[in-house]
């Protein structure tokens, strides 16, 4: 699936917002974008939505906020 100009703009805007964290960049993958810092992928942009990686240390915080996980078929 080709990446649309809208998706590219969302990725660019998202990276601009996150640059305060450090050298954040995005890379096209699987019809969306992976968002990286220091070589570590910490988020995914798919369908113009930002999804943050979650683990056992912060899962409860996301669930308490009612944030839905990324799913695909």
């Amino acid at each position: 699936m080709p990446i649309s100009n809208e998706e590219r703009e969302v990725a660019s805007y998202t990276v601009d917002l996150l640059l305060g964290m450090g050298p954040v960049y995005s890379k096209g993958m699987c019809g969306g974008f992976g968002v990286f810092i220091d070589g570590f992928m910490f988020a995914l942009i798919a369908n113009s939505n930002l999804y943050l990686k979650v683990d056992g240390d912060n899962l409860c915080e996301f669930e308490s906020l009612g944030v839905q996980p990324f799913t695909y078929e």
Side-chain angles (χ1 to χ4, degrees):
M1 173 162 127
I3 298 174
S4 70
N5 285 336
E6 178 184 346
E7 283 287 306
R8 292 180 198 286
E9 290 174 14
V10 168
S12 177
Y13 179 70
T14 301
V15 167
D16 285 346
L17 290 174
L18 298 174
L19 281 174
M21 294 173 38
V24 175
Y25 63 94
S26 66
K27 183 167 82 172
M29 53 192 328
C30 303
F33 288 88
V35 183
F36 298 80
I37 189 167
D38 294 329
F40 175 76
M41 183 174 158
F42 68 94
L44 170 71
I45 299 171
N47 300 317
S48 298
N49 292 300
L50 176 67
Y51 298 93
L52 300 172
K53 279 191 142 182
V54 176
D55 63 17
D57 292 335
N58 61 9
L59 176 61
C60 291
E61 293 175 52
F62 282 88
E63 289 177 335
S64 72
L65 295 170
V67 177
Q68 297 297 310
F70 173 75
T71 58
Y72 63 94
E73 293 181 17

